[in-house]
Every structure is written in structure tokens, then in C-alpha cells.
């Protein structure tokens, strides 16, 4: 059974495209923070017993809502339930697998409706049709891509963010582990063969003994996130000189500020890039200033900073304002306090 979040109105823990799989009682994935997942898991097989269908779930506080399972998140979610074993579901699973292996795939799902079964088309990154449901015309696919078919859920399945860790010391282990936990594909490279061993990094997709001179083997691209952490000044300088011209999406250097300043100064001269250009491309010292000590705390700071950078976000804490809280109540602050926080009665 495959369940996909296809539409959201209001607030939601997950965004359209989130999925949950159920196979023989086992569950993988999530379409909410966990509260809705339990309900969906219990009902999925029964709901899709006659084929694919869309169900609406409310996540509001309203006990009188006409939509069942109010859960308190403040949004309305449309979920597509589809049974396993159909050509459409099998094609979807293949597309998901291909995206995990590095391919970009476009998926168009025509949602089921009254007397209309679910249909699906899957396109390659170049627009070639990989799969098309029976009786689904190319004209309908083009209309969906143009946004004129409101019953179509169009999504792009992108490869996981790739993190290249240049350095295979012990402090790289929690970094690799944490990046893998959030779904990133991790590659560990180090010129020291005694460290660059796959058994030291079981979560990594690839671990190789590679030096900066073999940067073509590394295959680093502008879409990658890169952390330089060999603990060797010479190796860090070589890797930095090799990687900087590639302009990866994120490039961090582990080490103290004075060490990073010296590295940038020397690499600027070696690459012909100005110091300003180097500084614009480098995060140093690596990681958000979260506090804490030890490899695990550093790994958390690094992954958080890389995540923010790769998603185009500015990492900052968020807080509610008093005005936002009072906006929920039709009365003003004074009336609100009087109604909800009455003064204690006098002892007299």
C-alpha cells in the first residue's frame, strides 16, 4: 500500500509529496508528525480495497469538524491511497528508487474521481516518457505540465542531497551518521588508506582512498555539500585548492579561525581567486554556533548549517510574538487576561 500527501491547505508537518508505505504490517515513511500516520496505517488497506482513492483529513482543533480525525496542526490534508501491485504503483516505486540512485524524475498523477480511475505518467529529466497509463494521452500529460489540469498532482523526484566528507578521521563518523539519518547521500574521501575503509563508515554510500590530485575521481559537483576535515594542513590546502573552483553548494572547513585564515590566504594565491571570492564560497569555522563540545555536537552544527545553506534558508530561531497569540482571540490583551487569568480573590 502506498499513501501520498497530494494537497495541503493551511498548516502541515509534511509537504505534498510525503509518502508512507505499508507492507505486511511494516511501515516506512511518514505523511505527518506521527499522529495521522497511525490512523492511516490502520485504515489504508480497507480504504483502497476497491482501488486508488483520495481521502481528506483535517488537523484542526475543532471537535465539530465534518472531516474526521482533527489533530491540532491547523491544516487540511488530501491523501492518495493506492494499492500495491498495479502498474501505476510499480512505476512509482521504480521512479522513487531511480531518484535515490541519482536520477531526476517527473511524476504526473491524475487523481481518481467519480467514474475515473487514477492514471500516471513518469518522465525523465529530459522529458522522455518512461511510463504512461493505458488510455492516458500525451495531450493530457502536456495539459498537466502546463498547469491546466487541476486533478493532476505534478512532482519532481530529486536525488538526495550529496555530502562529500574530505577526511576519514574518527570525528567524521558522527557527521556521516547524522547526514545519512536526514536522508543525504554521503561520500567519504581520504588519501590515507588506513582510515578510508567502508567498515568505519557503514552509513556512507561510498568510501575511497582518494587524494586531492585525484579530484576527477571524487566527482565533486556544484550541487554537492563539502566539508574539509583531514586535520592535516597540507591535505586541507590541497583539497581546498581543488574544490574551491568547483563552487559547491556548501563548502565548510573544520578548524580554528586563524588556521582557516591562513588556508584561505594560501589557496587564494594558488587558485587565482581573490580572497573575497574565497571567503564568499567558504564557511569557516565550519558549523552554526550552537555551543557544545565533542564530535557529535560539531556534527550537529555542521549538518544544520549545510542543511540551511543547501535549502536556501537563513538559520535563525523563531518565536511567537504576543500579538500573534492575542490575534487568536477576538478580544484585546486586557480582556483576554481578565477572562483567562483572573486575579485571585481577596482574603477579606
Amino acid at each position: 500500500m502506498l499513501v501520498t500527501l497530494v494537497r495541503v491547505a493551511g498548516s502541515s508537518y509534511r509537504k505534498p509529496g510525503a509518502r508512507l508505505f505499508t507492507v505486511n504490517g511494516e511501515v516506512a515513511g511518514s505523511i505527518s508528525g506521527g499522529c495521522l500516520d497511525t490512523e492511516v496505517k490502520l485504515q489504508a488497506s480497507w480504504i483502497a480495497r476497491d482501488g486508488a482513492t483520495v481521502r481528506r483529513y483535517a488537523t484542526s482543533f475543532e471537535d465539530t469538524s465534518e472531516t474526521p480525525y482533527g489533530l491540532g496542526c491547523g491544516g487540511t490534508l488530501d491523501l492518495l491511497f493506492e494499492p500495491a501491485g498495479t502498474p501505476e504503483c510499480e512505476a512509482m516505486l521504480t521512479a522513487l528508487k531511480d531518484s535515490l540512485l541519482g536520477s531526476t524524475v517527473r511524476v504526473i498523477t491524475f487523481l481518481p474521481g467519480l467514474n475515473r480511475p487514477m492514471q500516471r505518467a513518469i518522465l525523465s529529466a529530459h522529458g522522455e516518457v518512461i511510463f504512461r497509463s493505458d488510455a492516458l494521452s500525451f495531450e493530457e500529460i502536456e495539459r498537466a505540465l502546463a498547469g491546466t489540469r487541476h486533478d493532476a498532482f505534478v512532482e519532481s523526484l530529486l536525488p538526495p542531497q550529496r555530502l562529500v566528507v574530505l577526511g576519514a578521521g574518527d570525528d567524521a563518523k558522527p557527521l556521516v551518521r547524522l547526514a545519512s539519518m536526514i536522508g543525504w547521500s554521503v561520500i567519504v574521501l581520504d588519501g590515507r588508506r588506513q582510515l578510508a575503509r567502508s567498515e568505519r563508515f557503514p552509513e556512507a554510500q561510498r568510501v575511497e582512498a582518494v587524494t586531492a590530485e585525484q579530484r576527477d575521481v571524487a566527482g565533486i559537483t556544484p550541487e554537492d555539500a563539502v566539508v574539509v576535515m583531514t586535520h592535516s594542513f597540507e591535505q586541507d590546502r590541497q583539497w581546498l585548492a581543488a574544490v574551491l573552483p568547483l563552487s559547491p553548494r556548501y563548502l565548510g572547513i573544520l578548524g580554528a579561525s586563524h588556521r582557516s585564515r591562513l588556508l584561505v590566504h594560501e589557496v587564494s594565491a594558488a587558485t587565482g581567486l581573490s580572497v573575497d571570492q574565497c571567503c564568499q564560497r567558504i564557511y569557516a569555522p565550519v558549523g552554526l554556533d550552537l555551543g557544545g563540545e565533542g564530535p557529535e555536537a560539531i556534527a550537529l552544527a555542521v549538518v544544520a548549517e549545510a542543511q540551511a545553506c543547501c535549502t536556501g534558508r537563513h538559520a535563525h530561531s523563531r518565536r511567537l510574538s504576543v500579538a500573534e497569540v492575542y490575534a487568536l482571540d477576538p478580544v484585546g490583551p486586557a480582556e483576554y487576561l481578565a477572562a483567562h487569568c483572573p486575579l485571585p480573590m481577596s482574603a477579606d
Side-chain angles (χ1 to χ4, degrees), residues 25-76:
E26 298 293 326
V27 179
S30 171
I31 41 83
S32 75
C35 45
L36 183 57
D37 294 1
T38 301
E39 295 290 343
V40 168
K41 180 179 69 173
L42 294 174
Q43 301 177 27
S45 298
W46 176 80
I47 289 176
R49 66 191 185 282
D50 296 324
T53 186
V54 175
R55 289 290 180 92
R56 177 163 292 177
Y57 291 78
T59 60
S60 66
F61 290 104
E62 299 177 6
D63 295 332
T64 59
S65 171
E66 295 180 358
T67 309
Y69 312 117
L71 301 168
C73 298
T76 301

Side-chain angles (χ1 to χ4, degrees), residues 275-315:
V275 171
D276 179 62
Q277 288 175 313
C278 292
C279 291
Q280 290 295 323
R281 302 182 189 187
I282 294 173
Y283 289 81
V286 70
L288 297 178
D289 186 9
L290 302 180
E293 297 182 359
E296 290 77 14
I298 293 173
L300 174 62
V302 172
V303 171
E305 182 177 67
Q307 169 81 4
C309 179
C310 291
T311 56
R313 301 296 182 91
H314 296 288

Side-chain angles (χ1 to χ4, degrees), residues 1-4 17-31 40-41 44 89 92-93 96-97:
M1 178 66 60
L2 175 61
V3 183
T4 305
R19 288 183 171 82
L20 182 147
F21 306 86
T22 63
V23 180
N24 299 324
E26 298 293 326
V27 179
S30 171
I31 41 83
V40 168
K41 180 179 69 173
C89 187
M92 185 75 242
L93 295 177
L96 290 168
K97 179 181 177 181

Side-chain angles (χ1 to χ4, degrees), residues 53 83 105 216 272 294:
T53 186
V105 184
D216 291 341

